[in-house]
């Protein structure tokens, strides 16, 4: 359920406003994730003015976070690269997203993951494909960070 997923995001310190809570349903399997996205009431007006509606694209990327985190939002993954975006048709008010690993995780780089994303309409027609979307796990903050060294402000100039 999308509301449960956003509750988990909030517990991890990521709070989405109503316009960016597009995920209605998320299903995560061993090698894929599927989600259903829908624009919030009032957001669907003027959807035809966008080729890639920002709220829907963000929802697709949230689907990646669900797969990267195994359906949990406790480990944030930050996007940092994408190889290719294929825009076949404008996004519709309601979309389905399919995410799968683009390639196996690189040895020694378990924190970096690459995904292929397909955004389709309600009939299953692929509207947008994002190829090799790369994310990196955000390392947890240290429990006892070292104190900051005092800086010389130059106030003691002779």
């Amino acid at each position: 359920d999308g509301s449960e997923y956003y509750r988990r995001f909030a517990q991890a310190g990521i709070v989405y406003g109503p316009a960016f809570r597009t995920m209605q349903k998320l299903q995560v399997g061993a090698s894929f994730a599927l989600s259903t996205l829908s624009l919030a009431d009032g957001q669907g007006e003027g959807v035809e003015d966008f080729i890639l509606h920002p709220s829907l694209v963000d929802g697709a990327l949230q689907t990646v976070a669900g797969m990267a985190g195994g359906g949990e939002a406790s480990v944030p993954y930050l996007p940092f690269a994408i190889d290719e975006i294929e825009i076949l048709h404008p996004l519709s008010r309601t979309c389905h997203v399919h995410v799968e690993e683009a390639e196996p995780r690189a040895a020694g780089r378990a924190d970096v993951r690459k995904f292929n994303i397909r955004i389709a309409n309600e009939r299953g027609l692929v509207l947008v494909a994002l190829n090799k979307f790369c994310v990196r796990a955000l390392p947890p903050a240290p429990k006892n960070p070292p104190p900051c060294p005092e800086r010389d402000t130059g106030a003691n100039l002779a």
Side-chain angles (χ1 to χ4, degrees), residues 31-43:
S31 62
F32 67 92
L34 297 171
S35 68
T36 301
L37 309 178
S38 184
L39 291 172
D41 291 338
Q43 293 290 317

Side-chain angles (χ1 to χ4, degrees), residues 18-29:
F20 288 93
R21 291 179 178 235
T22 58
M23 190 180 302
Q24 305 304 305
K25 187 188 325 183
L26 172 67
Q27 299 170 318
V28 179

Side-chain angles (χ1 to χ4, degrees), residues 38-62:
S38 184
L39 291 172
D41 291 338
Q43 293 290 317
E45 296 170 15
V47 69
E48 61 280 346
D49 295 336
F50 294 93
I51 294 172
L52 299 177
H53 194 286
S55 298
L56 292 169
V57 172
D58 194 68
L61 303 184
Q62 292 169 22

Side-chain angles (χ1 to χ4, degrees), residues 2 5-6 10 12 16-17 35 38 40 53 55 58 63-64 72 78 95-96 114 120 128 156:
Y5 190 60
Y6 290 113
Y16 286 96
S35 68
S38 184
H53 194 286
S55 298
D58 194 68
T63 305
V64 171
E72 297 292 325
L78 301 176
C95 298
H96 299 283
K114 296 179 181 183
V128 176
N156 296 329

Side-chain angles (χ1 to χ4, degrees), residues 85-143:
I85 300 175
E86 295 178 77
I87 302 172
L88 306 168
H89 305 280
L91 296 179
S92 56
R93 180 174 166 65
T94 298
C95 298
H96 299 283
V97 179
H98 178 263
V99 175
E100 62 185 358
E101 293 268 0
E103 56 188 53
R105 293 184 210 180
R109 292 305 321 237
D111 64 327
V112 174
R113 300 185 65 185
K114 296 179 181 183
F115 298 93
N116 290 328
I117 306 166
R118 302 290 176 265
I119 306 173
N121 65 12
E122 292 183 283
R123 295 186 327 266
L125 175 68
V126 174
L127 307 172
V128 176
L130 295 100
N131 300 311
K132 291 189 180 176
F133 174 71
C134 304
V135 296
R136 180 176 290 132
L138 182 66
K143 292 186 180 186

